[in-house]
Amino acid sequence: MKVAILGGGPAGLYFAISMKLRDAAHDVTVYERNKPDDTFGWGVVLSDETLDNLAENDPVSAERIRQHFAYWDDIAVIHKGVRTLSTGHGFCGIGRKRLLVLLQERARELGVNLAFETEIDDPRPFMAQNDLVLAADGLNSRARGTFAEVFKPDIDMRKCKFVWLGTHQKFDDAFTFIFEKTEHGLVWAHAYQFDDETATFIVECSQETWDKFGFGAMSQQESIAVCERIFKNHLGGHALMTNANHIRGSAWINFPRVLCERWSHENLALMGDAAASAHFSIGSGTKLALESAIALAEYVHTEPTLQEAFEKYEDARRLEVLRLQSAARNSLEWFEEVERYLDLDPVQFNYSLLTRSQRISHENLRLRDAEWLSGAEAWFQHQAGADSNVGRAPMFAPYKLRGLTLKNRIVVSPMAQYKAVDGAPTDWHFVHYCERAKGGAGLVYIEMTCVSPEGRITPGCPGFYKPEHETAWKRIVDFVHNETDAKICAQIGHSGPKGSTQLGWEEMDAPLANDNWPLLAASAVAWSDRNQTPKAMDRADMDMVRDQFVASVEMAERCGFHMLELHCAHGYLLSSFISPLTNRRQDEYGGSLENRMRYPLEIFHAVRAAWPDDKPISVRISANDWVGDAGVTPAEAVEIARLLQQAGVDICDVSAGQTTKEARPVYGRMFQTPFSDRIRNETGMATIAVGNIYEPDHVNSILMAGRADLVCLARPHLADPYWTLHAAVTLCDKGVAWPDPYLPGRDQAYRLAERADQMTGKV
């Protein structure tokens, strides 16, 4: 087979090696535009897992690479002048130039032709003259650009500027992150050793800071001099160096996140950064390239046709690429928004950085460095005012809001049951809520309970508008008071344009077959073409609904609820005022955000006046309408939270979506937590995180990183009312109180857990 490889980086060279290893008769040529020793960047990071994969594919080159590795186990974070060190991370690095030389030597040994200083503007002549063409020509791939309509690349140019430098200052004890406040803003560095004498030193900052420094008008040496001044306290008198003299200008760039819809066309395949890029902050770009080279070479030799080999290559590698890109996106977004975390304590800042990609979880961090994590947990408990600060995960820290103290940070999320009769909760609700109150959570929410018959979502939704409602709710609240140490929160709301619909297990959000009731909303905007158009509320309607909220709150207080939440999310009445998608008003309640928030805040102030001063009030919002700038965006959600905070709301329950059928949400683990993170760390307002959170690890990571103050779990509590007690057993935490009649079950659960740990060698 005649093979042309466009690009002499790690991907291209290693694919050439892998092809010749499988069949020495292949005629393989690597074409590279630069000289053999030209390279942008200093060191690359690999893992032991990647080295094992290389050794299985080619023991010779793997051993040569291994001989030149610099190993380190620690991560150091320098923030606010404090150096925080954690261990157990297991990195190895090698100079990029050294890696290229080793791969070039190995390729020559195997008979690969290497053609340097060869410009390749168009891949089509190579496609005509070769059986297989591999485009490994980097982030700015010309081959990808030639067939852009086929590959359909999605190129997202990220916000921060960075420059890749080197230094002879030693960073051989830890992968080091340095954050320096300057007169023009924050500048930070990623530094790590890759040989006995040299370390990579990547300098990064926001576009705004870069502009203020004037880096764009500087030469490389002028730019380097400024960076040396910024980091002089960390360089030990050593200079910063560039090996990008072949690049014009200051050599600062923005990182392009690349992902192609397709990776092959006819006899051409993409690899490495040409196909998909991963941000340098997780150090996986070279790993992706080398492992993709192995995979494609193998499939070319095992599949009957080249097209089938390409299909297998894409199928096999795409999932791994997407996983790494997801982690890389989380990581780069953390750095893009790092200034929001600067006020965190160094302990929490370090934890936030370590877990930024979500590849390192709370318990994984314990495996890496149990001593450091134990100290961090003790710090968290101390900050929470716990009586004992030893050996407890963040989820078991107390939390105080006004006069309310929660025993832990776990919240049973409000979940509609659709089992009420004429607005009255039934025995189903009694069992449902009381079981979850016994299950160990610090706070239990009741489902959205409606302020009027017309404010119900469905005929099965409960209310706070009849005496029998108060009697039924008080029975539940009394049990929670008398038999558990959980607290209980009443979430109240009005369905607005999403009312008069079928039960949840029927057709969600679809109108009733008959007996529909009239609807109210901010504007006459129907939920869908099938749903009735609501009446746009006039002043009389607004006064009436406000008074209904107040009456409901007074009922909730008589029932003995510890806390209150206003439902201003998910397209219901108050949400219909907040979102520009559903608020089309031309009066003082429409238009600007301040106007759109006016009526929800009127409701809040009326409710606050009727609710005891020592009891907190939360507000649930949709922090993203998932329709881009046409609706509420995460940035506008921060401003919504600021208005709530200024009004006196105690905590923001940060949900997202369900405000329009046009929404296109992006799902995943903890997918709504970033909205809580942003609100909490940009406003200082306490938040509750929700959305696909289902493991103790998720909860502890969110809390310890300062992404929320409380964590709501919904579906896990439907499947297991005792989720919190079982989580305590999993974490070997014996400080959680069980109901007295269940103590024998508790003891057995811990014994079985300890026995399982002994059998698996954990203890």
Side-chain angles (χ1 to χ4, degrees):
M1 180 179 284
K2 190 175 182 183
V3 181
I5 298 172
L6 314 182
L13 288 169
Y14 203 69
F15 180 70
I17 291 168
S18 300
M19 288 293 288
K20 292 291 279 186
L21 285 170
R22 284 159 177 78
D23 189 340
H26 290 318
D27 179 0
V28 182
T29 303
V30 176
Y31 299 90
E32 168 57 42
R33 63 181 299 190
N34 294 314
K35 298 176 182 178
D37 58 351
D38 280 346
T39 180
F40 180 67
W42 290 82
V44 297
V45 179
L46 298 174
S47 65
D48 287 330
E49 177 191 13
T50 302
L51 273 184
D52 291 343
N53 293 335
L54 298 185
E56 185 176 345
N57 184 62
D58 179 26
V60 175
S61 60
E63 181 55 31
R64 292 175 185 174
I65 292 169
R66 195 183 297 273
Q67 289 174 5
H68 292 276
F69 262 129
Y71 290 90
W72 65 96
D73 212 33
D74 298 346
I75 291 179
V77 179
I78 301 173
H79 169 53
K80 292 184 178 179
V82 177
R83 186 176 190 265
T84 305
L85 192 73
S86 63
T87 192
H89 301 288
F91 294 100
C92 42
I94 186 172
R96 181 176 171 85
K97 190 175 293 188
R98 171 63 64 183
L99 177 62
L100 290 176
V101 169
L102 292 173
L103 294 179
Q104 289 166 10
E105 291 174 351
R106 180 59 173 153
R108 288 192 185 97
E109 289 174 8
L110 295 170
V112 175
N113 305 307
L114 301 179
F116 293 100
E117 298 182 76
T118 304
E119 285 288 346
I120 303 167
D121 295 321
D122 189 342
R124 285 171 288 199
F126 293 90
M127 295 168 67
Q129 298 163 15
N130 291 270
D131 301 303
L132 166 61
V133 179
L134 181 78
D137 50 347
L139 286 169
N140 299 310
S141 170
R142 295 182 181 180
R144 184 184 66 220
T146 300
F147 298 108
E149 74 284 355
V150 176
F151 296 127
K152 296 180 180 177
D154 176 9
I155 302 176
D156 179 15
M157 198 64 69
R158 301 306 305 186
K159 299 177 184 178
C160 289
K161 290 283 190 178
F162 73 95
V163 62
W164 212 309
L165 303 173
T167 181
H168 291 310
Q169 166 67 324
K170 293 286 189 179
F171 289 97
D172 54 0
D173 62 336
F175 194 121
T176 304
F177 296 96
I178 307 167
F179 297 86
E180 285 291 333
K181 280 190 173 181
T182 74
E183 67 275 23
H184 295 310
L186 188 72
V187 184
W188 59 95
H190 314 239
Y192 59 91
Q193 203 80 13
F194 62 81
D195 64 26
D196 291 340
E197 298 180 349
T198 322
T200 296
F201 200 89
I202 303 171
V203 180
E204 192 173 11
C205 65
S206 69
Q207 180 74 48
E208 181 181 3
T209 297
W210 190 81
D211 289 338
K212 287 180 178 178
F213 270 109
F215 281 126
M218 295 181 189
S219 68
Q220 288 193 48
Q221 292 308 314
E222 290 170 334
S223 172
I224 287 171
V226 174
C227 292
E228 287 174 344
R229 175 176 63 81
I230 293 170
F231 295 102
K232 64 181 179 180
N233 294 333
H234 310 283
L235 292 172
H238 292 277
L240 292 174
M241 307 175 291
T242 179
N243 60 9
N245 290 316
H246 58 293
I247 297 177
R248 295 178 181 177
S250 67
W252 288 78
I253 62 172
N254 295 75
F255 180 80
R257 199 273 307 159
V258 176
L259 182 63
C260 293
E261 186 175 305
R262 291 188 59 189
W263 294 357
S264 63
H265 172 58
E266 296 178 355
N267 64 336
L268 171 70
L270 302 180
M271 186 173 288
D273 287 341
S277 62
H279 193 252
F280 57 83
S281 63
I282 67 166
S284 293
T286 304
K287 165 189 167 67
L288 279 178
L290 297 176
E291 293 178 350
S292 291
I294 295 171
L296 180 56
E298 183 66 18
Y299 295 136
V300 167
H301 290 86
T302 58
E303 297 304 305
T305 68
L306 191 61
Q307 294 308 313
E308 288 173 284
F310 285 169
E311 289 174 10
K312 197 83 174 282
Y313 160 63
E314 289 194 40
D315 289 344
R317 294 300 299 160
R318 185 175 294 277
L319 181 59
E320 180 64 17
V321 165
L322 289 174
R323 284 174 177 160
L324 279 172
Q325 279 202 325
S326 176
R329 183 188 67 246
N330 293 335
S331 178
L332 73 86
E333 287 179 351
W334 188 91
F335 282 104
E336 287 177 345
E337 306 297 342
V338 66
E339 298 203 34
R340 76 167 59 133
Y341 306 115
L342 292 182
D343 291 334
L344 295 178
D345 182 275
V347 172
Q348 194 162 49
F349 183 87
N350 183 60
Y351 184 97
S352 179
L353 185 150
L354 291 175
T355 58
R356 68 192 182 280
S357 72
Q358 297 184 15
R359 292 198 299 177
I360 298 177
S361 67
H362 194 79
E363 292 307 310
N364 182 259
L365 197 54
R366 193 184 308 281
L367 291 174
R368 293 168 183 243
D369 192 344
E371 182 178 356
W372 183 85
L373 185 64
S374 178
E377 289 179 332
W379 170 86
F380 191 90
Q381 294 287 340
H382 176 74
Q383 295 293 311
D387 294 334
S388 172
N389 60 8
V390 178
R392 304 208 74 191
M395 64 187 286
F396 297 121
Y399 190 69
K400 185 175 177 63
L401 279 171
R402 293 196 182 225
L404 176 67
T405 299
L406 305 177
K407 62 180 178 178
N408 61 47
R409 307 295 182 101
I410 302 298
V411 179
V412 178
S413 196
M415 297 170 282
Q417 298 299 294
Y418 307 109
K419 298 285 282 186
V421 176
D422 195 20
T426 64
D427 286 347
W428 174 274
H429 296 85
F430 182 85
V431 173
H432 172 75
Y433 291 115
C434 295
E435 279 297 278
R436 280 143 189 86
K438 290 191 299 178
L443 181 64
V444 177
Y445 269 81
I446 65 170
E447 63 206 274
M448 186 176 94
T449 302
C450 306
V451 300
S452 68
E454 298 77 21
R456 290 175 298 164
I457 309 166
T458 77
C461 290
F464 274 132
Y465 51 84
K466 287 185 176 182
E468 52 265 38
H469 300 168
E470 181 174 336
T471 301
W473 282 121
K474 190 174 188 308
R475 177 180 174 231
I476 294 170
V477 174
D478 285 348
F479 181 94
V480 175
H481 274 264
N482 298 330
E483 301 292 347
T484 81
D485 54 3
K487 307 302 181 185
I488 187 164
C489 176
Q491 185 190 69
I492 62 172
H494 188 296
S495 60
K498 294 177 74 174
S500 191
T501 57
Q502 299 177 33
L503 302 182
W505 51 80
E506 296 173 341
E507 186 178 355
M508 181 71 74
D509 295 330
L512 298 170
N514 47 59
D515 297 326
N516 285 279
W517 54 82
L519 304 180
L520 295 173
S523 300
V525 178
W527 172 248
S528 76
D529 292 341
R530 296 176 58 194
N531 296 75
Q532 63 176 294
T533 300
K535 176 191 176 188
M537 295 174 71
D538 57 25
R539 186 66 253 179
D541 296 321
M542 295 165 79
D543 291 343
M544 175 188 69
V545 171
R546 180 201 61 211
D547 294 344
Q548 290 170 343
F549 269 91
V550 170
S552 294
V553 167
E554 291 170 344
M555 185 177 291
E557 162 58 12
R558 291 193 297 270
C559 290
F561 283 93
H562 301 98
M563 179 174 166
L564 195 69
E565 177 165 287
L566 289 182
H567 202 320
C568 295
H570 302 169
Y572 299 128
L573 180 68
L574 299 183
S575 172
S576 77
F577 276 87
I578 297 173
S579 174
L581 299 172
T582 47
N583 187 334
R584 313 283 177 80
R585 300 177 73 97
Q586 301 298 313
D587 60 6
E588 67 271 29
Y589 293 94
S592 68
L593 176 62
E594 289 73 14
N595 283 355
R596 287 183 275 125
M597 286 293 294
R598 192 183 303 274
Y599 186 61
L601 289 174
E602 281 185 17
I603 296 291
F604 168 73
H605 286 301
V607 163
R608 182 70 269 180
W611 187 245
D613 189 60
D614 65 333
K615 291 186 177 185
I617 298 180
S618 169
V619 172
R620 173 168 279 210
I621 67 169
S622 286
N624 192 346
D625 284 339
W626 298 110
V627 293
D629 292 339
V632 170
T633 63
E636 190 172 61
V638 173
E639 299 311 311
I640 291 170
R642 288 191 204 279
L643 292 170
L644 295 174
Q645 185 181 31
Q646 292 164 7
V649 174
D650 298 293
I651 190 167
C652 187
D653 187 354
V654 188
S655 187
Q658 301 181 57
T659 56
T660 173
K661 294 182 74 66
E662 304 305 313
R664 294 295 179 265
V666 179
Y667 295 110
R669 282 183 311 144
M670 303 179 280
F671 73 108
Q672 295 179 127
T673 300
F675 309 134
S676 166
D677 182 344
R678 182 169 185 175
I679 287 171
R680 184 182 190 273
N681 289 296
E682 289 190 15
T683 69
M685 187 181 194
T687 62
I688 306 174
V690 308
N692 206 23
I693 301 165
Y694 51 87
E695 293 181 356
D697 243 17
H698 299 164
V699 176
N700 288 321
S701 295
I702 290 167
L703 293 170
M704 189 71 225
R707 305 179 80 190
D709 298 275
L710 298 173
V711 179
C712 269
L713 295 91
R715 288 173 176 83
H717 278 122
L718 288 179
D720 181 3
Y722 298 91
W723 186 92
T724 306
L725 298 183
H726 293 153
V729 173
T730 300
L731 297 175
C732 302
D733 187 300
K734 296 185 178 180
V736 175
W738 287 55
D740 289 344
Y742 295 175
L743 294 181
R746 177 202 65 182
D747 296 342
Q748 182 188 55
Y750 282 107
R751 282 197 306 271
L752 292 174
E754 290 168 1
R755 186 182 305 167
D757 286 345
Q758 290 169 355
M759 293 177 67
T760 57
K762 290 184 180 179
V763 295

